Amino acid sequence: MVSSSPEASGPDQSASPVSPATSAPPSTVPGLWPRMACWLYEGMLLFAVVFVSGWLFSTLGQMRDAMDSRRHLFQAFLFVVFGVYFVWFWTKGQTLAMKTWNIRIVDVHGQPVSQRRALARYLLSWIWFLPPLAAIAPFRLSGGESTVLIFGWVAVWAVLARFHPDRQFWHDAWAGTRLITSKPMSRR
């Protein structure tokens, strides 16, 4: 896959686009384990985002407890906050977790991701959670059963990347993005 960083590509490679049907060399596509480790690390980092956002929302909205009637509004607020977080970082090329695991996001031509494409990827990435959450809702499953269902679906969705020609996650393919191996991008 083409990379826009000088360390990962030669001067003549950055100008030539790669067609979406062309497979990237195996060395540029991160393996499943590093991608899942990055995914878990991203979840830990999001804890801080949720903490600060939740504190601001509950303080400014004077919420007294988690079962406040505005909890659905809070969930919608977090959905927007996560969207802003991911779209902003993805348009820059990497989140902090992606920098740690040497993973970068690009479009199918190896170019930086646009805001529109990053937003599409964010919306499609909810496939990691929406199917099990939709299954949990009508059946009133216990916490343990819900956890098994969610982690089971995450494992299935991750393994389905093995069936993509470039070993990319399917939401990336649908959004027109790719994850590639890349050193952390320098500050600009």
Side-chain angles (χ1 to χ4, degrees):
M1 181 85 289
V2 176
S3 173
S4 62
S5 69
E7 307 86 44
S9 66
D12 57 57
Q13 288 180 327
S14 61
S16 64
V18 176
S19 70
T22 304
S23 295
S27 62
T28 62
V29 177
L32 183 59
W33 291 113
R35 286 186 284 169
M36 293 310 294
C38 179
W39 187 81
L40 286 172
Y41 184 39
E42 197 75 67
M44 290 189 296
L45 295 174
L46 284 177
F47 180 78
V49 173
V50 169
F51 181 81
V52 171
S53 301
W55 175 76
L56 283 172
F57 186 89
S58 62
T59 300
L60 295 175
Q62 298 182 353
M63 290 179 66
R64 300 287 181 218
D65 58 52
M67 297 310 290
D68 189 293
S69 62
R70 294 169 287 177
R71 72 181 176 274
H72 298 297
L73 183 60
F74 175 59
Q75 291 168 345
F77 174 72
L78 285 179
F79 179 80
V80 170
V81 168
F82 288 163
V84 169
Y85 171 86
F86 283 115
V87 168
W88 190 80
F89 275 112
W90 288 339
T91 56
K92 304 291 184 211
Q94 294 174 308
T95 63
L96 181 59
M98 292 168 87
K99 286 181 183 185
T100 303
W101 288 95
N102 296 328
I103 297 173
R104 188 161 48 104
I105 185 170
V106 294
D107 68 10
V108 293
H109 302 292
Q111 300 302 313
V113 177
S114 67
Q115 286 183 343
R116 179 171 284 174
R117 193 168 302 277
L119 179 61
R121 183 179 194 258
Y122 171 69
L123 295 173
L124 288 167
S125 70
W126 279 94
I127 292 174
W128 285 98
F129 296 107
L130 288 182
L133 292 177
I136 290 169
F139 298 112
R140 304 268 187 213
L141 300 177
S142 70
E145 293 168 331
S146 298
T147 302
V148 168
L149 186 61
I150 289 171
F151 281 111
W153 173 252
V154 165
V156 166
W157 186 249
V159 170
L160 284 176
R162 309 275 296 160
F163 298 105
H164 186 274
D166 292 333
R167 304 234 187 248
Q168 295 289 327
F169 292 127
W170 285 98
H171 65 276
D172 280 311
W174 297 331
T177 58
R178 300 178 49 82
L179 295 178
I180 61 170
T181 301
S182 172
K183 294 293 181 195
M185 297 172 68
S186 63
R187 288 185 174 170
R188 293 183 207 173

